[in-house]
Amino acid sequence: MRKILFTLSLLIYSNLLIGQQAILRNTTIESMVREVSSDSLKSYIYALSSFESRHTLNTDSEKGMPAAKQYVLGKFNEFANKSGGRMTAEIEEFITPGDGRRIPSDSKVANVVAWLKGTDPNDPRIIVVSGHLDSRNKDVMDATGAAPGANDDGSGVAVVMELARVMAAREFPATVVFVAFTGEEQGLKGATYLADKAKNEGWKIEAVLNNDIVGNSNSSETLISNNTVMRVFSESIPLAEDERGAAIRRSTNSDNDSPSRQLARYIKEIGERYVDHMEVKLIYRSDRFLRGGDQTPFMRNGFTAVRMSEMNENFPHQHENVRIEDGIQYGDLPEFMDFEYLRKVAAVNIASAASLASAASKPQEVRIDVRGLTNYSRLHWKAPENGKAIGYFVLMRETSSPVWEKKFYTTETEINLPYSKDNYFFAVQSVTEDGAESLAVFPSPQTR
Ligand SMILES: [Zn+2]
């Protein structure tokens, strides 16, 4: 009872103090955030970059990609010991077909995957946290030359491993999948394989948190140094949008409210709530300019996915051969990384993933009543399919605002607000007793 009252008082305060979300910290998530260690992350990165090359087509089982996969699998299995049998890990092999581009002929490659099974057998939701294990140097077809890949994407894999380590000992109703993809540099091969499999088998993926290049805090050329800001990329118009979806988007002007954008806002709010001195910047594009990443195949298959990345990139340390030229050291080496920055990125990931995996599922059939002309906005919805919501946040923002500005808490499944739907955007998320919020759902119009 005390716990419930405590939670409720926090929820009510949050109405008044939106913007000062530190008061909403859940102690379990807070302790997971504290367990994320820059020393652990550093040890993974030094180990990963000690393999000569993690190129997708590298076959050196002593010093190359096969050995790197065994290393990640070994760590996953070590972490799984704390999970009471709920975490299992494997090297999942598959044939990636020759494509006449970056895969010369059909090749056997593999992702390294760990599953932390949810504690609710009736809850099908899956949260994916990913990075890519493969690395490259200047020549993307050079499968044997040195390619330490400390930051691209040893950093993303280190985040995945650290989340697996800390989360293995914890219980969540939803399942969390930790993936080190192969073949990102050869054309998103590992992510395409898993995203297609997930679609074919009907996996209920709630969110994909893809981490790619997340451990450096200073820019080349412009010489900015700042370890207090990171980016989350999210698509505006869903890649998988069909004609009906497009028609609804145009009529509701919801081009800034895709599920991927809601996930990005969620990561911003939860990340900044739990991680001090880290701003999560929303970038309104699916990836860097004209580029893609392992989140792309998931978006293409209709899943909600985002890419996390560092704010300031250092290009002499990406996709370059390790060498000294004119007194400048080139190459993706661990000595150029900022492990305190990486710790904060991992902390944003764990707060978001743990919060999603603890939450009830999203409210269902969220509608906004548009049957009559009124300056009120009435929304209604149904309880989530999985987990127990004790209430709901109805979120509101100005049409020009990037983030939700006001939250109304209710224990009902409808609300009638004295704000016109012509002037604001709304969404609804479910809230559990522990204060974990689901992703927000943008309402569809109720016309009859
Ligand atoms: Zn990368």
Side-chain angles (χ1 to χ4, degrees):
M1 190 59 191
R2 201 174 141 255
K3 189 179 177 191
I4 293 172
L5 285 176
F6 179 65
T7 304
L8 284 177
S9 67
L10 288 183
L11 296 175
I12 291 159
Y13 274 121
S14 74
N15 241 339
L16 306 171
L17 293 171
I18 184 83
Q20 299 175 34
Q21 293 120 341
I23 55 157
L24 259 173
R25 284 180 180 175
N26 165 299
T27 51
T28 309
I29 294 178
E30 208 173 15
S31 69
M32 278 184 262
V33 166
R34 263 200 307 273
E35 281 175 45
V36 171
S37 148
S38 56
D39 287 343
S40 299
L41 290 159
K42 186 174 177 178
S43 74
Y44 310 146
I45 300 252
Y46 270 88
L48 288 167
S49 55
S50 72
F51 298 103
E52 275 180 8
S53 169
R54 304 192 314 272
H55 190 279
T56 301
L57 302 174
N58 179 285
T59 54
D60 183 344
S61 57
E62 301 279 310
K63 298 177 201 154
M65 184 55 146
K69 285 177 202 157
Q70 288 296 335
Y71 165 72
V72 176
L73 178 69
K75 296 308 277 187
F76 279 161
N77 282 331
E78 180 190 321
F79 306 149
N81 287 331
K82 293 180 295 180
S83 73
R86 288 172 303 119
M87 184 182 271
T88 53
E90 64 171 330
I91 293 177
E92 189 176 6
E93 290 187 331
F94 59 96
I95 303 291
T96 190
D99 59 7
R101 295 180 61 245
R102 293 182 174 190
I103 299 286
S105 58
D106 294 6
S107 305
K108 192 192 274 182
V109 295
N111 296 326
V112 190
V113 189
W115 286 74
L116 179 61
K117 270 225 129 343
T119 51
D120 179 353
N122 298 317
D123 191 335
R125 287 176 300 153
I126 295 171
I127 318 296
V128 177
V129 186
S130 62
H132 70 87
L133 184 59
D134 62 303
S135 65
R136 60 168 288 186
N137 55 34
K138 191 140 195 116
D139 175 2
V140 72
M141 301 310 292
D142 178 3
T144 53
N151 195 29
D152 185 8
D153 183 30
S155 63
V157 173
V159 165
V160 170
M161 291 167 72
E162 186 64 350
L163 263 64
R165 182 182 75 83
V166 175
M167 294 176 87
R170 310 279 182 168
E171 297 191 343
F172 307 94
T175 292
V176 186
V177 179
F178 306 89
V179 195
F181 286 121
T182 192
E184 196 273 350
E185 306 288 7
Q186 310 309 116
L188 315 176
K189 302 303 185 189
T192 300
Y193 167 78
L194 196 71
D196 288 350
K197 177 176 168 176
K199 188 177 184 192
N200 293 336
E201 296 182 358
W203 295 10
K204 300 283 182 245
I205 296 182
E206 186 83 350
V208 178
L209 278 53
N210 185 45
N211 288 268
D212 200 349
I213 313 186
V214 289
N216 155 76
S217 59
N218 61 78
S219 67
S220 48
E221 304 87 39
T222 48
L223 307 180
I224 297 164
S225 188
N226 181 352
N227 75 351
T228 64
V229 57
M230 61 178 281
R231 295 178 289 183
V232 55
F233 292 88
S234 59
E235 62 183 1
S236 300
I237 298 172
L239 264 180
E241 185 179 80
D242 58 15
E243 276 186 32
R244 185 168 169 273
I248 294 172
R249 174 175 52 77
R250 284 191 292 263
S251 63
T252 56
N253 296 281
S254 54
D255 39 284
N256 195 10
D257 282 275
S258 68
S260 165
R261 188 64 43 82
Q262 306 300 358
L263 172 59
R265 288 194 183 101
Y266 186 93
I267 292 166
K268 178 176 177 62
E269 176 161 354
I270 303 292
E272 292 178 1
R273 179 185 303 170
Y274 286 99
V275 185
D276 295 313
H277 301 297
M278 184 58 115
E279 178 196 348
V280 179
K281 202 173 268 295
L282 300 175
I283 305 290
Y284 286 0
R285 37 171 46 118
S286 52
D287 205 303
R288 299 169 298 170
F289 201 84
L290 300 183
R291 300 176 74 177
D294 285 333
Q295 74 282 11
T296 313
F298 288 91
M299 298 185 315
R300 202 181 291 132
N301 284 346
F303 294 115
T304 302
V306 295
R307 175 187 181 144
M308 322 267 216
S309 204
E310 62 198 28
M311 184 67 197
N312 300 294
E313 296 192 60
N314 200 311
F315 295 108
H317 304 147
Q318 287 182 23
H319 300 189
E320 284 288 349
N321 293 337
V322 178
R323 68 191 191 281
I324 294 174
E325 204 174 288
D326 298 329
I328 297 166
Q329 175 77 61
Y330 289 83
D332 192 353
L333 298 166
E335 63 231 50
F336 296 116
M337 295 184 58
D338 179 339
F339 295 105
E340 167 58 10
Y341 178 71
L342 181 59
R343 178 193 68 77
K344 290 193 282 185
V345 174
V348 167
N349 271 271
I350 206 165
S352 305
S355 195
L356 281 170
S358 315
S361 56
K362 291 175 277 202
Q364 307 181 82
E365 297 177 36
V366 181
R367 302 272 185 272
I368 186 162
D369 190 344
V370 294
R371 291 172 301 176
L373 294 176
T374 161
N375 284 304
Y376 273 77
S377 295
R378 191 178 84 88
L379 290 92
H380 58 93
W381 56 90
K382 290 194 173 135
E385 197 174 349
N386 306 109
K388 181 154 175 43
I390 61 156
Y392 304 88
F393 280 133
V394 178
L395 309 173
M396 184 176 106
R397 70 176 203 276
E398 298 227 20
T399 59
S400 58
S401 171
V403 292
W404 298 110
E405 296 172 310
K406 223 168 175 18
K407 289 187 185 189
F408 301 91
Y409 181 70
T410 177
T411 55
E412 308 293 321
T413 54
E414 73 170 309
I415 199 163
N416 198 22
L417 296 169
Y419 295 92
S420 169
K421 55 197 156 297
D422 299 337
N423 301 336
Y424 298 93
F425 285 124
F426 298 95
V428 185
Q429 55 186 175
S430 61
V431 186
T432 62
E433 184 183 318
D434 292 333
E437 303 105 322
S438 72
L439 290 176
V441 181
F442 191 82
S444 56
Q446 181 199 357
T447 51
R448 287 184 293 174

